[in-house]
């Protein structure tokens, strides 16, 4: 620590105050802040807040996500959760509310961290680098398993 976080705030329930509550102000270096809600309810935080443009080119958006250590899922509940899944595909560790969809993709302490309704992390926060290594190993294991069993898919699909 301290860490840089990416937050695309899309509801009032998950904002700067809540992030400070579960991360701790001293553990935050910078928040890359994009919002669909409006203005930042600004307080005198000890970390930097970089307000991002409302609309960005995809490359700029990716660069900003890449700049972050953690990506904060923008909602308490998601249908499919494209924003945090996209960040995961870039290798980002996700911080998310422990609710359906997020807790179906995020294994707490393995590829991200879940927080509860009081905005307390369920497991202690560790360096995103250590989680990225776990994520890479798990992806390699899944890929190896796929390579070994992919020939079984056609017989399975045609019922043989």
């Amino acid at each position: 620590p301290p860490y840089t976080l990416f937050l695309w705030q899309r509801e009032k329930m998950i904002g700067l105050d809540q992030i400070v509550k579960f991360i701790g102000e001293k553990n935050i270096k910078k928040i890359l802040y994009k919002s669909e809600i409006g203005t930042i309810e600004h307080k005198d935080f000890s970390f930097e807040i970089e307000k991002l443009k409302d609309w960005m080119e995809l490359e700029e958006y990716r660069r900003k996500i890449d700049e972050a250590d953690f990506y904060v899922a923008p909602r308490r509940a998601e249908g499919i959760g494209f924003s945090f899944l996209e960040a995961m595909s870039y290798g980002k560790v996700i911080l998310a509310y422990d609710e359906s969809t997020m807790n179906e993709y995020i294994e707490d302490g393995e590829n991200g961290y879940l927080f509860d309704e009081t905005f307390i992390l369920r497991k202690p926060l560790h360096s995103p680098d250590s989680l990225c290594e776990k994520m890479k190993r798990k992806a390699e294991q899944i890929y190896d398993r796929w390579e070994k069993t992919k020939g079984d898919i056609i017989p399975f699909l045609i019922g043989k």
Side-chain angles (χ1 to χ4, degrees):
Y3 302 114
T4 297
L5 297 102
F6 184 100
L7 169 65
W8 185 348
Q9 187 177 14
R10 296 187 186 166
E11 65 177 48
K12 290 188 183 224
M13 295 297 293
I14 300 174
L16 296 174
D17 289 337
Q18 291 79 19
I19 290 172
V20 169
K21 184 174 182 178
F22 67 78
I23 300 289
E25 190 167 348
K26 68 181 182 343
N27 294 322
I28 302 172
K29 175 173 53 177
K30 180 179 186 179
I31 293 183
L32 301 161
Y33 181 82
K34 184 171 172 44
S35 178
E36 291 185 2
I37 293 179
T39 60
I40 300 172
E41 293 180 25
H42 192 69
K43 297 184 178 170
D44 290 327
F45 292 116
S46 61
F47 54 82
E48 179 185 351
I49 300 171
E50 181 181 340
K51 175 76 170 86
L52 303 176
K53 294 183 269 183
D54 290 337
W55 189 87
M56 294 186 276
E57 294 284 343
L58 181 58
E59 274 193 39
E60 182 180 5
Y61 175 70
R62 282 183 163 178
R63 273 194 312 275
K64 289 299 176 183
I65 290 176
D66 193 47
E67 191 178 319
D69 298 303
F70 296 100
Y71 181 94
V72 182
R75 296 186 179 100
R76 286 173 53 110
E78 291 277 1
I80 296 175
F82 286 120
S83 73
F84 81 85
L85 289 173
E86 180 181 31
M88 285 177 84
S89 77
Y90 302 155
K92 289 293 135 187
V93 176
I94 309 299
L95 304 174
Y97 192 80
D98 190 1
E99 190 59 61
S100 59
T101 303
M102 282 79 82
N103 62 16
E104 294 166 20
Y105 289 95
I106 298 167
E107 295 177 46
D108 200 18
E110 296 296 316
N111 63 350
Y113 292 97
L114 299 170
F115 51 87
D116 65 18
E117 64 279 350
T118 62
F119 294 94
I120 303 296
L121 287 171
R122 299 212 183 274
K123 292 198 173 175
L125 192 68
H126 295 283
S127 162
D129 295 337
S130 64
L131 261 65
C132 286
E133 273 305 309
K134 281 184 183 181
M135 291 164 52
K136 182 180 175 191
R137 280 194 305 277
K138 184 157 192 155
E140 288 168 349
Q141 290 169 353
I142 291 168
Y143 181 77
D144 289 344
R145 187 172 64 218
W146 163 250
E147 281 295 318
K148 290 175 186 167
T149 62
K150 68 182 177 185
D152 300 339
I153 192 89
I154 300 297
F156 172 78
L157 291 173
I158 60 174
K160 289 188 176 184

